[in-house]
Amino acid sequence: MRSGLFSWSVARRGIAAACLAGLAPSAGSGEGMLQYFNASWNQIAEKVPELAEAGYTSIWLPPPAKANGGYSVGYDLTDPFDLGSTAYRGTWTTRYGTEAELLNLVELFHRFGIRVYFDNIMNHRAYDVPGY
């Protein structure tokens, strides 16, 4: 017995036609993101071809700005705009490298069609930064 105007056979044919036409999302079209921390910009750059071949379409990197000390992973920023290009607290680089190395890394990822995401620290600074 048929109820109303809806027909399952017509719906199935419509779904099948949409899949054949490529209109339905495929299972493999999602973004493959890798979180890559605790390596220098140059070490990560060496792995970019391998990451692209593995199928990653985006990368999540640590905060790129200069943090409080040499062992800091970047979540206690001292200068959110210094990406490793000015002398501050006895070093030019961030924990991960220089600004030039970072820009090279981003350009390399983009050449391989990989999007780059950074952790962004907006709400706090290191303990000794004025205004903290």
Side-chain angles (χ1 to χ4, degrees):
M1 182 168 145
R2 207 181 259 181
S3 64
L5 298 174
F6 184 78
S7 168
W8 280 106
S9 64
V10 172
R12 280 194 293 269
R13 279 182 278 179
I15 292 169
C19 288
L20 290 174
L23 300 176
S26 69
S29 66
E31 182 173 67
M33 179 182 278
L34 175 69
Q35 180 186 18
Y36 205 143
F37 284 33
N38 296 320
S40 73
W41 301 139
N42 288 335
Q43 289 170 327
I44 297 171
E46 292 172 7
K47 299 290 185 180
V48 171
E50 189 177 327
L51 297 173
E53 187 176 342
Y56 290 105
T57 56
S58 61
I59 190 88
W60 174 17
L61 297 173
K66 193 166 285 178
N68 197 30
Y71 297 107
S72 171
V73 294
Y75 292 93
D76 54 341
L77 298 181
T78 54
D79 184 353
F81 302 104
D82 181 3
L83 303 176
S85 61
T86 58
Y88 184 70
R89 295 190 183 195
T91 182
W92 281 82
T93 65
T94 67
R95 178 170 192 223
Y96 306 103
T98 65
E99 182 176 12
E101 293 167 348
L102 172 64
L103 294 174
N104 177 59
L105 176 65
V106 171
E107 182 182 321
L108 186 59
F109 272 123
H110 288 170
R111 250 188 272 147
F112 279 88
I114 298 174
R115 286 183 295 279
V116 180
Y117 297 95
F118 289 100
D119 261 358
N120 188 12
I121 312 306
M122 300 287 289
N123 62 340
H124 62 273
R125 300 289 176 256
Y127 69 93
D128 60 345
V129 174
Y132 171 68

